[in-house]
Amino acid sequence: SQQGEEDPQALSIQEGENATMNCSYKTSINNLQWYRQNSGRGLVHLILIRSNEREKHSGRLRVTLDTSKKSSSLLITASRAADTASYFCATDETSGSRLTFGEGTQLTVNP
Amino acid sequence: GAVVSQHPSWVICKSGTSVKIECRSLDFQATTMFWYRQFPKQSLMLMATSNEGSKATYEQGVEKDKFLINHASLTLSTLTVTSAHPEDSSFYICSATRTSWGDEQFFGPGTRLTVL
């Protein structure tokens, strides 16, 4: 079953603006991961944040994790049209790397 | 490194036929592979977890006799959709873990199945 809920479901912004997507989950986790998916394509791993970490950066990406609130956010700074895609969070609840995906946020960056 | 391929990338078949989808880890050994299904504009739903040399573990609601999974080697897992019906039309994605390196799953590019 899906435990991740993401908001917003869809986000439309202008190039250069920042995009923030949120993810909430219900159970204890080992780590939380963010993925990107272009329409009709496979998933691209963006970033992994472990349960004992609060914030992580990778290029224009910034991920936060609040285990007390069971939530995470993905910030994309200085967005580009090429960032247009669906973004999914996924939680790893067990040591077996079994992922549970959120519903996803469809991001559209207008040039 | 850590590339996962899927074959075919798309397939169209008639209702009642069986379709086999391959998932290969090209440059690493994958002890565990996962099969997901994704309907249009929806998220990925885990179908089954496949460990090399053992029977797959299916998620609740996934028919093991309809979706046959074989993980015969450390680089290959196959998903066979038996007696496919139009409602099986979906995007099937596999992933693999390189367990000695940690938690990350590496995803294949997906296979688009259309059942007429």
PDB file of all heavy atoms in Angstrom, chain B residues 55-85:
ATOM      1  N   LYS B  55      12.092 -18.147  -4.567  1.00  0.00           N
ATOM      2  CA  LYS B  55      10.791 -17.722  -5.071  1.00  0.00           C
ATOM      3  C   LYS B  55      10.559 -16.250  -4.759  1.00  0.00           C
ATOM      4  O   LYS B  55      10.970 -15.744  -3.709  1.00  0.00           O
ATOM      5  CB  LYS B  55       9.676 -18.566  -4.450  1.00  0.00           C
ATOM      6  CG  LYS B  55       9.639 -20.004  -4.950  1.00  0.00           C
ATOM      7  CD  LYS B  55       8.465 -20.751  -4.353  1.00  0.00           C
ATOM      8  CE  LYS B  55       8.415 -22.182  -4.883  1.00  0.00           C
ATOM      9  NZ  LYS B  55       7.262 -22.939  -4.310  1.00  0.00           N
ATOM     10  N   ALA B  56       9.849 -15.597  -5.653  1.00  0.00           N
ATOM     11  CA  ALA B  56       9.542 -14.187  -5.445  1.00  0.00           C
ATOM     12  C   ALA B  56       8.510 -14.011  -4.345  1.00  0.00           C
ATOM     13  O   ALA B  56       7.672 -14.889  -4.108  1.00  0.00           O
ATOM     14  CB  ALA B  56       9.031 -13.566  -6.745  1.00  0.00           C
ATOM     15  N   THR B  57       8.565 -12.870  -3.703  1.00  0.00           N
ATOM     16  CA  THR B  57       7.578 -12.501  -2.691  1.00  0.00           C
ATOM     17  C   THR B  57       6.629 -11.496  -3.310  1.00  0.00           C
ATOM     18  O   THR B  57       7.057 -10.405  -3.711  1.00  0.00           O
ATOM     19  CB  THR B  57       8.261 -11.880  -1.467  1.00  0.00           C
ATOM     20  OG1 THR B  57       9.198 -12.806  -0.922  1.00  0.00           O
ATOM     21  CG2 THR B  57       7.219 -11.526  -0.412  1.00  0.00           C
ATOM     22  N   TYR B  58       5.355 -11.859  -3.378  1.00  0.00           N
ATOM     23  CA  TYR B  58       4.368 -11.015  -4.045  1.00  0.00           C
ATOM     24  C   TYR B  58       3.644 -10.132  -3.036  1.00  0.00           C
ATOM     25  O   TYR B  58       3.373 -10.525  -1.904  1.00  0.00           O
ATOM     26  CB  TYR B  58       3.345 -11.885  -4.790  1.00  0.00           C
ATOM     27  CG  TYR B  58       3.925 -12.574  -6.004  1.00  0.00           C
ATOM     28  CD1 TYR B  58       4.662 -13.752  -5.871  1.00  0.00           C
ATOM     29  CD2 TYR B  58       3.744 -12.046  -7.272  1.00  0.00           C
ATOM     30  CE1 TYR B  58       5.215 -14.385  -6.980  1.00  0.00           C
ATOM     31  CE2 TYR B  58       4.276 -12.671  -8.395  1.00  0.00           C
ATOM     32  CZ  TYR B  58       5.011 -13.839  -8.232  1.00  0.00           C
ATOM     33  OH  TYR B  58       5.551 -14.455  -9.343  1.00  0.00           O
ATOM     34  N   GLU B  59       3.300  -8.957  -3.483  1.00  0.00           N
ATOM     35  CA  GLU B  59       2.511  -8.043  -2.668  1.00  0.00           C
ATOM     36  C   GLU B  59       1.051  -8.495  -2.644  1.00  0.00           C
ATOM     37  O   GLU B  59       0.579  -9.208  -3.541  1.00  0.00           O
ATOM     38  CB  GLU B  59       2.602  -6.621  -3.208  1.00  0.00           C
ATOM     39  CG  GLU B  59       3.992  -6.024  -3.118  1.00  0.00           C
ATOM     40  CD  GLU B  59       4.484  -5.924  -1.682  1.00  0.00           C
ATOM     41  OE1 GLU B  59       3.839  -5.238  -0.868  1.00  0.00           O
ATOM     42  OE2 GLU B  59       5.537  -6.533  -1.379  1.00  0.00           O
ATOM     43  N   GLN B  60       0.372  -8.057  -1.628  1.00  0.00           N
ATOM     44  CA  GLN B  60      -1.036  -8.421  -1.484  1.00  0.00           C
ATOM     45  C   GLN B  60      -1.825  -7.941  -2.703  1.00  0.00           C
ATOM     46  O   GLN B  60      -1.667  -6.797  -3.146  1.00  0.00           O
ATOM     47  CB  GLN B  60      -1.610  -7.783  -0.206  1.00  0.00           C
ATOM     48  CG  GLN B  60      -2.951  -8.321   0.214  1.00  0.00           C
ATOM     49  CD  GLN B  60      -3.380  -7.779   1.564  1.00  0.00           C
ATOM     50  OE1 GLN B  60      -2.717  -6.922   2.142  1.00  0.00           O
ATOM     51  NE2 GLN B  60      -4.483  -8.268   2.074  1.00  0.00           N
ATOM     52  N   GLY B  61      -2.644  -8.841  -3.219  1.00  0.00           N
ATOM     53  CA  GLY B  61      -3.470  -8.481  -4.365  1.00  0.00           C
ATOM     54  C   GLY B  61      -2.832  -8.761  -5.713  1.00  0.00           C
ATOM     55  O   GLY B  61      -3.499  -8.605  -6.751  1.00  0.00           O
ATOM     56  N   VAL B  62      -1.585  -9.172  -5.724  1.00  0.00           N
ATOM     57  CA  VAL B  62      -0.912  -9.500  -6.987  1.00  0.00           C
ATOM     58  C   VAL B  62      -0.951 -11.019  -7.172  1.00  0.00           C
ATOM     59  O   VAL B  62      -0.484 -11.768  -6.310  1.00  0.00           O
ATOM     60  CB  VAL B  62       0.548  -9.005  -6.987  1.00  0.00           C
ATOM     61  CG1 VAL B  62       1.249  -9.411  -8.292  1.00  0.00           C
ATOM     62  CG2 VAL B  62       0.588  -7.501  -6.804  1.00  0.00           C
ATOM     63  N   GLU B  63      -1.511 -11.450  -8.283  1.00  0.00           N
ATOM     64  CA  GLU B  63      -1.676 -12.891  -8.519  1.00  0.00           C
ATOM     65  C   GLU B  63      -0.361 -13.506  -8.974  1.00  0.00           C
ATOM     66  O   GLU B  63       0.141 -13.227 -10.062  1.00  0.00           O
ATOM     67  CB  GLU B  63      -2.731 -13.118  -9.599  1.00  0.00           C
ATOM     68  CG  GLU B  63      -4.105 -12.554  -9.261  1.00  0.00           C
ATOM     69  CD  GLU B  63      -5.046 -12.707 -10.440  1.00  0.00           C
ATOM     70  OE1 GLU B  63      -5.216 -13.835 -10.934  1.00  0.00           O
ATOM     71  OE2 GLU B  63      -5.588 -11.689 -10.900  1.00  0.00           O
ATOM     72  N   LYS B  64       0.177 -14.391  -8.188  1.00  0.00           N
ATOM     73  CA  LYS B  64       1.459 -15.011  -8.524  1.00  0.00           C
ATOM     74  C   LYS B  64       1.373 -15.931  -9.729  1.00  0.00           C
ATOM     75  O   LYS B  64       2.350 -16.146 -10.435  1.00  0.00           O
ATOM     76  CB  LYS B  64       2.036 -15.759  -7.323  1.00  0.00           C
ATOM     77  CG  LYS B  64       1.164 -16.863  -6.794  1.00  0.00           C
ATOM     78  CD  LYS B  64       1.829 -17.553  -5.577  1.00  0.00           C
ATOM     79  CE  LYS B  64       1.911 -16.617  -4.398  1.00  0.00           C
ATOM     80  NZ  LYS B  64       2.457 -17.259  -3.180  1.00  0.00           N
ATOM     81  N   ASP B  65       0.198 -16.484  -9.985  1.00  0.00           N
ATOM     82  CA  ASP B  65       0.057 -17.364 -11.148  1.00  0.00           C
ATOM     83  C   ASP B  65      -0.107 -16.582 -12.441  1.00  0.00           C
ATOM     84  O   ASP B  65       0.064 -17.130 -13.529  1.00  0.00           O
ATOM     85  CB  ASP B  65      -1.145 -18.286 -10.963  1.00  0.00           C
ATOM     86  CG  ASP B  65      -0.932 -19.271  -9.837  1.00  0.00           C
ATOM     87  OD1 ASP B  65       0.249 -19.613  -9.587  1.00  0.00           O
ATOM     88  OD2 ASP B  65      -1.911 -19.680  -9.199  1.00  0.00           O
ATOM     89  N   LYS B  66      -0.440 -15.304 -12.307  1.00  0.00           N
ATOM     90  CA  LYS B  66      -0.613 -14.478 -13.494  1.00  0.00           C
ATOM     91  C   LYS B  66       0.686 -13.742 -13.832  1.00  0.00           C
ATOM     92  O   LYS B  66       1.012 -13.561 -15.000  1.00  0.00           O
ATOM     93  CB  LYS B  66      -1.724 -13.465 -13.276  1.00  0.00           C
ATOM     94  CG  LYS B  66      -1.959 -12.575 -14.481  1.00  0.00           C
ATOM     95  CD  LYS B  66      -3.235 -11.789 -14.361  1.00  0.00           C
ATOM     96  CE  LYS B  66      -3.423 -10.952 -15.608  1.00  0.00           C
ATOM     97  NZ  LYS B  66      -3.585 -11.789 -16.814  1.00  0.00           N
ATOM     98  N   PHE B  67       1.374 -13.341 -12.808  1.00  0.00           N
ATOM     99  CA  PHE B  67       2.631 -12.614 -13.003  1.00  0.00           C
ATOM    100  C   PHE B  67       3.770 -13.504 -12.497  1.00  0.00           C
ATOM    101  O   PHE B  67       4.110 -13.488 -11.311  1.00  0.00           O
ATOM    102  CB  PHE B  67       2.600 -11.277 -12.255  1.00  0.00           C
ATOM    103  CG  PHE B  67       1.527 -10.347 -12.715  1.00  0.00           C
ATOM    104  CD1 PHE B  67       0.326 -10.248 -12.020  1.00  0.00           C
ATOM    105  CD2 PHE B  67       1.693  -9.582 -13.858  1.00  0.00           C
ATOM    106  CE1 PHE B  67      -0.681  -9.391 -12.460  1.00  0.00           C
ATOM    107  CE2 PHE B  67       0.702  -8.719 -14.298  1.00  0.00           C
ATOM    108  CZ  PHE B  67      -0.487  -8.625 -13.596  1.00  0.00           C
ATOM    109  N   LEU B  68       4.342 -14.246 -13.427  1.00  0.00           N
ATOM    110  CA  LEU B  68       5.393 -15.197 -13.074  1.00  0.00           C
ATOM    111  C   LEU B  68       6.746 -14.489 -13.077  1.00  0.00           C
ATOM    112  O   LEU B  68       7.132 -13.868 -14.053  1.00  0.00           O
ATOM    113  CB  LEU B  68       5.406 -16.353 -14.073  1.00  0.00           C
ATOM    114  CG  LEU B  68       4.104 -17.155 -14.204  1.00  0.00           C
ATOM    115  CD1 LEU B  68       4.255 -18.251 -15.242  1.00  0.00           C
ATOM    116  CD2 LEU B  68       3.698 -17.743 -12.867  1.00  0.00           C
ATOM    117  N   ILE B  69       7.457 -14.638 -11.975  1.00  0.00           N
ATOM    118  CA  ILE B  69       8.755 -13.995 -11.850  1.00  0.00           C
ATOM    119  C   ILE B  69       9.825 -15.049 -11.655  1.00  0.00           C
ATOM    120  O   ILE B  69       9.686 -15.953 -10.833  1.00  0.00           O
ATOM    121  CB  ILE B  69       8.766 -12.999 -10.687  1.00  0.00           C
ATOM    122  CG1 ILE B  69       7.852 -11.814 -11.021  1.00  0.00           C
ATOM    123  CG2 ILE B  69      10.187 -12.515 -10.389  1.00  0.00           C
ATOM    124  CD1 ILE B  69       7.640 -10.852  -9.879  1.00  0.00           C
ATOM    125  N   ASN B  70      10.885 -14.911 -12.442  1.00  0.00           N
ATOM    126  CA  ASN B  70      12.019 -15.814 -12.348  1.00  0.00           C
ATOM    127  C   ASN B  70      13.289 -14.999 -12.200  1.00  0.00           C
ATOM    128  O   ASN B  70      13.526 -14.052 -12.948  1.00  0.00           O
ATOM    129  CB  ASN B  70      12.096 -16.684 -13.611  1.00  0.00           C
ATOM    130  CG  ASN B  70      13.212 -17.705 -13.530  1.00  0.00           C
ATOM    131  OD1 ASN B  70      14.382 -17.382 -13.683  1.00  0.00           O
ATOM    132  ND2 ASN B  70      12.845 -18.939 -13.266  1.00  0.00           N
ATOM    133  N   HIS B  71      14.085 -15.331 -11.218  1.00  0.00           N
ATOM    134  CA  HIS B  71      15.342 -14.616 -10.975  1.00  0.00           C
ATOM    135  C   HIS B  71      16.447 -15.659 -10.931  1.00  0.00           C
ATOM    136  O   HIS B  71      16.942 -16.009  -9.868  1.00  0.00           O
ATOM    137  CB  HIS B  71      15.223 -13.862  -9.641  1.00  0.00           C
ATOM    138  CG  HIS B  71      16.314 -12.857  -9.419  1.00  0.00           C
ATOM    139  ND1 HIS B  71      16.203 -11.869  -8.480  1.00  0.00           N
ATOM    140  CD2 HIS B  71      17.523 -12.694  -9.983  1.00  0.00           C
ATOM    141  CE1 HIS B  71      17.297 -11.137  -8.473  1.00  0.00           C
ATOM    142  NE2 HIS B  71      18.111 -11.616  -9.384  1.00  0.00           N
ATOM    143  N   ALA B  72      16.803 -16.118 -12.120  1.00  0.00           N
ATOM    144  CA  ALA B  72      17.675 -17.282 -12.229  1.00  0.00           C
ATOM    145  C   ALA B  72      19.151 -16.960 -12.043  1.00  0.00           C
ATOM    146  O   ALA B  72      19.952 -17.846 -11.757  1.00  0.00           O
ATOM    147  CB  ALA B  72      17.468 -17.948 -13.591  1.00  0.00           C
ATOM    148  N   SER B  73      19.516 -15.700 -12.233  1.00  0.00           N
ATOM    149  CA  SER B  73      20.922 -15.343 -12.077  1.00  0.00           C
ATOM    150  C   SER B  73      21.021 -13.999 -11.390  1.00  0.00           C
ATOM    151  O   SER B  73      20.022 -13.318 -11.178  1.00  0.00           O
ATOM    152  CB  SER B  73      21.617 -15.281 -13.438  1.00  0.00           C
ATOM    153  OG  SER B  73      21.282 -14.082 -14.113  1.00  0.00           O
ATOM    154  N   LEU B  74      22.237 -13.619 -11.034  1.00  0.00           N
ATOM    155  CA  LEU B  74      22.439 -12.357 -10.326  1.00  0.00           C
ATOM    156  C   LEU B  74      22.323 -11.142 -11.234  1.00  0.00           C
ATOM    157  O   LEU B  74      22.448 -10.012 -10.768  1.00  0.00           O
ATOM    158  CB  LEU B  74      23.814 -12.369  -9.640  1.00  0.00           C
ATOM    159  CG  LEU B  74      23.890 -13.208  -8.371  1.00  0.00           C
ATOM    160  CD1 LEU B  74      25.332 -13.322  -7.895  1.00  0.00           C
ATOM    161  CD2 LEU B  74      23.024 -12.616  -7.258  1.00  0.00           C
ATOM    162  N   THR B  75      22.099 -11.364 -12.515  1.00  0.00           N
ATOM    163  CA  THR B  75      21.975 -10.225 -13.419  1.00  0.00           C
ATOM    164  C   THR B  75      20.686 -10.230 -14.226  1.00  0.00           C
ATOM    165  O   THR B  75      20.471  -9.340 -15.050  1.00  0.00           O
ATOM    166  CB  THR B  75      23.165 -10.190 -14.412  1.00  0.00           C
ATOM    167  OG1 THR B  75      23.176 -11.412 -15.161  1.00  0.00           O
ATOM    168  CG2 THR B  75      24.483 -10.017 -13.671  1.00  0.00           C
ATOM    169  N   LEU B  76      19.821 -11.203 -13.992  1.00  0.00           N
ATOM    170  CA  LEU B  76      18.621 -11.296 -14.822  1.00  0.00           C
ATOM    171  C   LEU B  76      17.412 -11.730 -14.016  1.00  0.00           C
ATOM    172  O   LEU B  76      17.450 -12.715 -13.294  1.00  0.00           O
ATOM    173  CB  LEU B  76      18.843 -12.292 -15.959  1.00  0.00           C
ATOM    174  CG  LEU B  76      17.621 -12.618 -16.833  1.00  0.00           C
ATOM    175  CD1 LEU B  76      17.146 -11.369 -17.577  1.00  0.00           C
ATOM    176  CD2 LEU B  76      17.934 -13.748 -17.810  1.00  0.00           C
ATOM    177  N   SER B  77      16.338 -10.966 -14.173  1.00  0.00           N
ATOM    178  CA  SER B  77      15.038 -11.359 -13.641  1.00  0.00           C
ATOM    179  C   SER B  77      14.030 -11.184 -14.761  1.00  0.00           C
ATOM    180  O   SER B  77      14.132 -10.252 -15.562  1.00  0.00           O
ATOM    181  CB  SER B  77      14.656 -10.487 -12.444  1.00  0.00           C
ATOM    182  OG  SER B  77      13.344 -10.807 -11.992  1.00  0.00           O
ATOM    183  N   THR B  78      13.072 -12.078 -14.833  1.00  0.00           N
ATOM    184  CA  THR B  78      12.041 -11.963 -15.863  1.00  0.00           C
ATOM    185  C   THR B  78      10.662 -11.936 -15.228  1.00  0.00           C
ATOM    186  O   THR B  78      10.419 -12.574 -14.200  1.00  0.00           O
ATOM    187  CB  THR B  78      12.106 -13.122 -16.871  1.00  0.00           C
ATOM    188  OG1 THR B  78      11.911 -14.360 -16.177  1.00  0.00           O
ATOM    189  CG2 THR B  78      13.435 -13.144 -17.605  1.00  0.00           C
ATOM    190  N   LEU B  79       9.789 -11.169 -15.842  1.00  0.00           N
ATOM    191  CA  LEU B  79       8.379 -11.096 -15.447  1.00  0.00           C
ATOM    192  C   LEU B  79       7.563 -11.558 -16.644  1.00  0.00           C
ATOM    193  O   LEU B  79       7.683 -10.989 -17.737  1.00  0.00           O
ATOM    194  CB  LEU B  79       8.001  -9.661 -15.078  1.00  0.00           C
ATOM    195  CG  LEU B  79       6.502  -9.365 -14.936  1.00  0.00           C
ATOM    196  CD1 LEU B  79       5.921 -10.096 -13.736  1.00  0.00           C
ATOM    197  CD2 LEU B  79       6.259  -7.862 -14.813  1.00  0.00           C
ATOM    198  N   THR B  80       6.768 -12.578 -16.451  1.00  0.00           N
ATOM    199  CA  THR B  80       5.893 -13.064 -17.520  1.00  0.00           C
ATOM    200  C   THR B  80       4.452 -12.792 -17.140  1.00  0.00           C
ATOM    201  O   THR B  80       3.994 -13.254 -16.093  1.00  0.00           O
ATOM    202  CB  THR B  80       6.087 -14.571 -17.765  1.00  0.00           C
ATOM    203  OG1 THR B  80       7.446 -14.824 -18.128  1.00  0.00           O
ATOM    204  CG2 THR B  80       5.181 -15.042 -18.917  1.00  0.00           C
ATOM    205  N   VAL B  81       3.786 -12.011 -17.973  1.00  0.00           N
ATOM    206  CA  VAL B  81       2.358 -11.748 -17.785  1.00  0.00           C
ATOM    207  C   VAL B  81       1.618 -12.814 -18.579  1.00  0.00           C
ATOM    208  O   VAL B  81       1.674 -12.839 -19.816  1.00  0.00           O
ATOM    209  CB  VAL B  81       1.979 -10.341 -18.284  1.00  0.00           C
ATOM    210  CG1 VAL B  81       0.502 -10.063 -18.005  1.00  0.00           C
ATOM    211  CG2 VAL B  81       2.859  -9.280 -17.630  1.00  0.00           C
ATOM    212  N   THR B  82       0.971 -13.712 -17.869  1.00  0.00           N
ATOM    213  CA  THR B  82       0.304 -14.820 -18.537  1.00  0.00           C
ATOM    214  C   THR B  82      -1.144 -14.469 -18.843  1.00  0.00           C
ATOM    215  O   THR B  82      -1.796 -13.737 -18.090  1.00  0.00           O
ATOM    216  CB  THR B  82       0.339 -16.087 -17.672  1.00  0.00           C
ATOM    217  OG1 THR B  82      -0.375 -15.826 -16.460  1.00  0.00           O
ATOM    218  CG2 THR B  82       1.762 -16.479 -17.344  1.00  0.00           C
ATOM    219  N   SER B  83      -1.625 -14.967 -19.980  1.00  0.00           N
ATOM    220  CA  SER B  83      -3.001 -14.731 -20.407  1.00  0.00           C
ATOM    221  C   SER B  83      -3.383 -13.264 -20.191  1.00  0.00           C
ATOM    222  O   SER B  83      -4.287 -12.939 -19.425  1.00  0.00           O
ATOM    223  CB  SER B  83      -3.955 -15.643 -19.639  1.00  0.00           C
ATOM    224  OG  SER B  83      -5.275 -15.535 -20.146  1.00  0.00           O
ATOM    225  N   ALA B  84      -2.629 -12.418 -20.871  1.00  0.00           N
ATOM    226  CA  ALA B  84      -2.802 -10.980 -20.662  1.00  0.00           C
ATOM    227  C   ALA B  84      -4.183 -10.502 -21.113  1.00  0.00           C
ATOM    228  O   ALA B  84      -4.752 -10.998 -22.088  1.00  0.00           O
ATOM    229  CB  ALA B  84      -1.713 -10.234 -21.420  1.00  0.00           C
ATOM    230  N   HIS B  85      -4.692  -9.530 -20.389  1.00  0.00           N
ATOM    231  CA  HIS B  85      -5.967  -8.902 -20.715  1.00  0.00           C
ATOM    232  C   HIS B  85      -5.769  -7.395 -20.784  1.00  0.00           C
ATOM    233  O   HIS B  85      -4.776  -6.855 -20.263  1.00  0.00           O
ATOM    234  CB  HIS B  85      -7.018  -9.276 -19.666  1.00  0.00           C
ATOM    235  CG  HIS B  85      -7.425 -10.711 -19.717  1.00  0.00           C
ATOM    236  ND1 HIS B  85      -8.294 -11.200 -20.663  1.00  0.00           N
ATOM    237  CD2 HIS B  85      -7.052 -11.768 -18.960  1.00  0.00           C
ATOM    238  CE1 HIS B  85      -8.464 -12.494 -20.483  1.00  0.00           C
ATOM    239  NE2 HIS B  85      -7.721 -12.873 -19.457  1.00  0.00           N
TER     240      HIS B  85
END
